[in-house]
Structures are given as C-alpha cells and as structure tokens.
Amino acid sequence: MIPAIAIDRLSKTFGTSAPALDKVCLSIQPGEMVALIGASGSGKSTLLRHIAGLIPGDSESGSITVCGMHVQSAGRIERQIRKVRRNIGFVFQQFNLVGRLSVMTNVLAGKLSEIPLWRSLPRVFTRNERSEALKALARVGMAERAHQRASTLSGGQQQRAAIARALVQGAKVICADEPIASLDPESARRVMEALSLINREDGTTVVVSLHQVGFALRYCGRVVALHLGRVVYDGPAEDLTTERLRGIYGSDSDLDFGDAEPNVAAPAIKRPMAGFQPAMAGAMG
Amino acid sequence: MRPANAISLADLEQPPRDTKKTLFYVLIYGIAFAILAWSWQGAEIRPLALIKDAGNMAEFGADFFPPNFHEWRYYLDEIIVTIHIAIWGTILAVIAAVPLGLLAAANIAPWWVHQPVRRLLDSFRAINEMVFAMLFVVSVGLGPFAGVMALFIHTTGTLAKLFSEAVEAIDPQPVEGIRATGANQLEEIAYGVIPQVMPLWISYTLYRFEANVRSASVVGMVGAGGIGVVLWEVIRGFQFSKTCAVLLMLIVTVSVVDLISARIRKLFI
C-alpha cells in the first residue's frame, strides 16, 4: 500500500542555530490518526509545514511524499506543489480564515484548486459546490453559521469552519498544527471530535500536533514524539508510559493533560488503553 | 494621603548631565534655525507689507462684495463638469492602481518587480497634476479630457502607493490558509489579500476623490476644462464680485462632496 505520508531523512536548520528537524523519518499509513507531541520548539509545527510543502527542508534531506506524490526532495519544493496540496488539508493554530469573508466563502475556498480562474476570481460557485460546502459545515455542526462573516465566530467555531474547508477540498490527508492550542476545553473537545469523525467516516489520514498529552491519548491511536527535532517515540498511544513522557518533556516539567477527559487521561498513563481504537491497531507498525 | 511605600520625585536620583547629548541638541536646533532663516530670505517674507499695504488689501477685499451670482447657471454647469472630471480621473486611477499597487507591494512581488514599479509611481507623484494638465492640453487639446488624464496619472501614483502600503500591512496567516488549499497566486490575492485591504482601499479612494474635486477646479486654469477655466477668466478680468461668487460655490461643492464621501466611507468600515 502506498503510504499516506512518507518522510525520508528530513532535516531543517533555521539560520545557524541547532537543527529544528534532524533526519526525521516517518511513514504514516492511510486512515491513521497520529498525534505529534513534544515540548515547544521540538519541531512539531515545522514538520507539519514541510509535509504541506509550505517550507523547504535542507538540501541534504531526502524526500517527502503524500499519497505517492512528491512534495519536496533534497530541499526543493515540487513544481507541481499546488496539485499535491489539493490532497492535503491544513488546519492552523490561528485558524487562518479570511475574517471579512463569509464562512461559506471560506469553506468554498477549498475548491479553488479545482475550478477555473474565470470562476474563482469573481467567486462564482455552482449550486453543487455550494451544497457540498453546506454539507461539510453541517458535518462539523456549523451549518447555521454559513452566512456569517468568519470574524464573528468564536475560536472553536472558526476552527471547525477551517476543518470544513479541508473537507470540501477533498483532502486525503489532514495536517492540523496545534488546532486546539488557543481554544477552551469544550471547544477543543468539539474540534478533536470533528477531526476524529472525518478520520473514522472518510478514512482521512489525520496528523495532529498537540500540546496536551491527554487529548493525544484520548483521540489518537498512534503517537509520534519529537524532542529537539528528533523522533524519540513512535508507537501506540497505550505504550506511552509516564516514564517515557517524562523523557520527552524533560523530567522536571509538569505534564499538560488538558481537560480532554480528566478522569480518564491520568489513569490511562498507568493502564494501557487496550481496544481504544481497534480499527487503528492493524495500521500501526 | 500618600501611601507609605510611594517614592517621591525628590527621592529618585537625578542622572548626571550628559554634555555630549546637550551639545548634540544645541547643534540640531542651530541647524533647524539656520534652515528657517535661509528660507525666510528665499521666500522673501515681508510681514510688514501686510500692515503697510493693509489699505490696498481692504480695497481689494471690498471689490469681492457683494458677490455677483448673475451667471450662476453657467458656474453650476462648469462645477458639474469639474465633478465629472474628478469622477473619471479617480475611477481610471483606481483601475490602474489595483494591479500597480499589488506589484509595488514587497510581500507580493519580488524586488525586481516592485522596485521599478515604485520608481514609476514616484515619477507619477513627483509631477503635479497642473503640469500634467498643461502637457495633456498640448497633446489632446483644450477641454475636460486633458483634466481627466492629468488627474488619472497623478492619482494613480498616490493611490497605488497607498494601496501597496495597505497590502504590505496585511496578516499573512489567512493568505497561507488559502495557499494550503492548493490555490494559485492570483487566487491567494483574490481570497486572502483583497478582502483584508478592501476597507482601506475604499477609504483611500474616497479621500482621493475629494482631493480630486479640489484639484479638478485648479487644472481648469491651464485650459483643462471645468470651473477652473471660469475662475481663471474672472480673475484675469479683475471681475472680483464674480470671482467671489465662483469661490463661494466651490466651497459649498467641496463641503458637500466631503460630507457625502464621509457617509459612504462609514458604510464600508
């Protein structure tokens, strides 16, 4: 099977500082839901932005492919990157919606790579495209907000609209970069539910970087932990022991389990979460 | 009452006087005064003339009153032509300023595009609309069209610069959001950039339209149509009561245009 995401020896150095990513190799199978954890500055965001081809790696890096298509190799972003990006939905920490456009138009922007310029520039969308956008909004529980300006939404609502944009895009892979870091616990839960729903129902591969370990353990079958730009753990969520987490975040740090499921998250560390997401078990290597 | 832990000004230790700094300030003020004195001479400023020739001025002023509104229909027609000139001068400038403003923005175009475009816009701005009007009177003939062209070129220079500054101040994150969907660069601009700058662009355009109504009344003086032509005729003919009437009508027009555009601007912000 062609992996959804294949990363070969990706390195990235900003300026003269220590590498942000250091020979990262990662293979993610279609349909997986993977959490990317690690302390601030461990390279989570940088890694996700490389996968979408938003920044190029160092020249000695290997290649990154998404659904078998090259995103970049040896530090050069593919010429046909726009076609590749069509398969990659990106969900940003700051939502990155256009505040002055309606929620509907923001979601329809997911169609931009498919429609001709003469229709996209004057914002002419077909009835089908509009109903598809509405359906996507309905799936994330936002249908009634479709005609509001995006700037009038709360953070959690904006993030769900951003997920609807990725849905309309028909993305096979969704990269979510700290999607819940600026949200309150309830909004965060709803955003994670939306991502998890797409993963289960559509088989969309989801890679989500999270600051709160609790959410990672609750929603993702597989966890990849980064420390100083290196993969230090890659395996099932249930094998992540408190010891290992201390190693990832540093021994003196307070682990942030968030409010995902306070009554479950804490004990989950000691007791393996067997059978939590059985569908994922086969995909994990 | 003073709280116990408050610090009075006297308690704070004064920093030692910095002689270097003081000398520097003296030098700066010296240069500033020297420039003022020099330009006083160059501009031949003679405040005494205002007092000495006060009688002259009073006599001159008296000639303006009462204003002669006898030909007000003619003036009104010409004022309307003036507004027509301002409208078209502004509209053409907006159409040109949108692409030029985007090309002059450092966050949209590479340096080898935005630098030449900026220099071109500088040259549009450096030359006053009066000068452009004279040149266009020669090339396209006397009349309002020369005025339209003059305003068009000059306003393109200012609007495109203002537009590009608005574009450079946008939040890049929504643009990245659009880029991540696989959109091309034109779509990134149409969806990510334009919606963000739209309120500012409209505001700038309305300001320029107001300014252009004023400018259009002046370009007429060199024969480029509108009320300026009339103004020039009555001033040259020493018909000061008519001049007064024209000026009063101009003041009313400009105020009305300002009021209307202020209303429109509020709608968009």
Side-chain angles (χ1 to χ4, degrees):
Chain A
M1 189 160 40
I2 302 167
I5 301 171
I7 300 169
D8 176 34
R9 289 171 293 116
L10 174 66
S11 295
K12 178 70 177 179
T13 315
F14 292 105
T16 52
S17 52
L21 291 174
D22 193 3
K23 299 188 198 74
V24 171
C25 294
L26 198 59
S27 177
I28 293 170
Q29 298 308 313
E32 278 195 270
M33 180 141 175
V34 181
L36 213 50
I37 63 167
S40 307
S42 59
K44 306 188 293 288
S45 294
T46 314
L47 178 58
L48 286 172
R49 295 166 65 80
H50 276 89
I51 295 173
L54 292 171
I55 36 177
D58 292 344
S59 54
E60 65 268 23
S61 301
S63 63
I64 299 179
T65 60
V66 170
C67 306
M69 294 165 90
H70 271 83
V71 172
Q72 50 175 292
S73 36
R76 288 192 152 220
I77 292 178
E78 274 306 296
R79 284 188 149 267
Q80 296 298 312
I81 184 66
R82 294 184 214 285
K83 278 192 188 145
V84 190
R85 279 196 194 129
R86 186 189 289 193
N87 296 321
I88 310 168
F90 208 101
V91 176
F92 298 85
Q93 179 180 350
Q94 293 303 329
F95 330 126
N96 292 17
L97 298 181
V98 184
R100 292 182 56 85
L101 294 180
S102 69
V103 173
M104 189 71 178
T105 313
N106 268 293
V107 173
L108 283 166
K111 280 270 170 252
L112 285 180
S113 66
E114 291 170 37
I115 66 178
L117 218 52
W118 68 266
R119 279 214 288 128
S120 69
L121 292 188
R123 296 178 201 156
V124 178
F125 295 98
T126 62
R127 184 178 276 275
N128 273 342
E129 285 160 356
R130 288 180 176 279
S131 75
E132 197 183 323
L134 264 180
K135 271 181 209 146
L137 279 168
R139 284 185 74 190
V140 295
M142 291 283 297
E144 72 281 9
R145 306 277 181 190
H147 299 288
Q148 265 175 253
R149 264 192 192 179
S151 60
T152 62
L153 300 180
S154 72
Q157 291 169 333
Q158 289 197 40
Q159 198 58 293
R160 281 185 282 147
I163 292 170
R165 176 166 72 186
L167 276 175
V168 164
Q169 200 181 322
K172 297 190 183 74
V173 171
I174 290 182
C175 295
D177 181 13
E178 298 268 9
I180 58 170
S182 21
L183 302 180
D184 63 272
E186 175 57 17
S187 303
R189 195 190 58 77
R190 297 185 72 172
V191 164
M192 287 309 291
E193 289 292 343
L195 285 173
S196 158
L197 179 95
I198 297 164
N199 170 256
R200 283 194 312 264
E201 292 185 354
D202 303 0
T204 308
T205 313
V206 177
V207 186
V208 49
S209 71
L210 291 166
H211 204 73
Q212 293 140 310
V213 180
F215 278 100
L217 300 178
R218 167 84 179 76
Y219 288 97
C220 303
R222 176 177 167 192
V223 174
V224 173
L226 290 176
H227 184 63
L228 299 176
R230 286 199 193 137
V231 176
V232 292
Y233 177 84
D234 181 2
E238 55 261 37
D239 290 354
L240 257 186
T241 56
T242 314
E243 293 313 305
R244 280 186 166 145
L245 283 169
R246 291 249 180 263
I248 294 162
Y249 284 94
S251 54
D252 53 345
S253 62
D254 283 329
L255 289 179
D256 184 1
F257 290 101
D259 297 323
E261 211 89 345
N263 48 344
V264 175
I269 306 298
K270 289 165 201 138
R271 146 180 82 77
M273 299 205 302
F276 168 58
Q277 267 174 327
M280 297 289 103
M284 293 181 312
Chain B
M1 240 182 68
R2 225 180 105 194
N5 59 350
I7 303 168
S8 83
L9 276 178
D11 295 340
L12 290 169
E13 208 171 308
Q14 288 278 338
R17 218 175 254 278
D18 187 343
T19 31
K20 251 191 197 165
K21 229 178 185 173
T22 318
L23 266 175
F24 178 72
Y25 279 120
V26 168
L27 193 69
I28 291 287
Y29 277 109
I31 290 171
F33 276 113
I35 290 173
L36 285 176
W38 185 34
S39 9
W40 177 283
Q41 280 189 331
E44 297 182 21
I45 296 178
R46 291 170 288 122
L48 283 179
L50 290 175
I51 301 164
K52 210 168 58 189
D53 301 334
N56 269 347
M57 290 181 50
E59 204 179 313
F60 181 55
D63 286 346
F64 276 71
F65 293 97
N68 179 354
F69 281 104
H70 199 69
E71 294 179 78
W72 68 273
R73 270 185 184 282
Y74 171 50
Y75 303 156
L76 189 65
D77 286 347
E78 289 301 313
I79 283 180
I80 289 172
V81 171
T82 305
I83 294 176
H84 291 167
I85 295 173
I87 289 176
W88 274 100
T90 313
I91 290 290
L92 291 176
V94 169
I95 293 169
V98 169
L100 286 173
L102 289 167
L103 290 175
N107 53 348
I108 301 279
W111 69 267
W112 47 270
V113 172
H114 76 244
Q115 285 299 343
V117 171
R118 280 182 195 179
R119 296 295 84 77
L120 178 75
L121 297 175
D122 285 348
S123 66
F124 285 177
R125 274 199 317 281
I127 300 167
N128 191 278
E129 46 270 79
M130 282 287 269
V131 181
F132 276 124
M134 284 191 261
L135 296 175
F136 277 110
V137 164
V138 177
S139 54
V140 302
L142 286 170
F145 185 55
V148 170
M149 289 306 293
L151 291 186
F152 164 39
I153 305 281
H154 185 81
T155 309
T156 301
T158 33
L159 268 189
K161 182 186 164 68
L162 291 170
F163 281 11
S164 74
E165 279 170 5
V167 169
E168 285 176 353
I170 59 164
D171 176 2
Q173 291 185 334
V175 185
E176 195 171 45
I178 299 292
R179 180 176 312 147
T181 67
N184 64 35
Q185 237 196 328
L186 276 177
E187 289 164 336
E188 279 175 31
I189 292 170
Y191 284 77
V193 178
I194 304 277
Q196 287 194 60
V197 295
M198 211 49 177
L200 266 180
W201 280 14
I202 287 170
S203 184
Y204 289 149
T205 302
L206 288 167
Y207 273 126
R208 282 313 304 181
F209 173 64
E210 289 165 29
N212 277 350
V213 172
R214 290 189 286 273
S215 303
S217 64
V218 187
V219 291
M221 290 192 163
V222 295
I227 193 70
V229 177
V230 182
L231 199 57
W232 186 232
E233 278 166 9
V234 292
I235 291 178
R236 253 193 334 188
F238 301 108
Q239 297 167 306
F240 294 126
S241 56
K242 283 186 179 173
T243 308
C244 183
V246 172
L247 289 179
L248 286 175
M249 286 177 75
L250 256 181
I251 291 170
V252 172
T253 310
V254 169
S255 312
V256 169
V257 168
D258 278 13
L259 283 174
I260 294 172
S261 73
R263 278 286 170 82
I264 300 176
R265 193 176 308 124
K266 262 188 196 154
L267 285 181
F268 286 98
I269 292 170

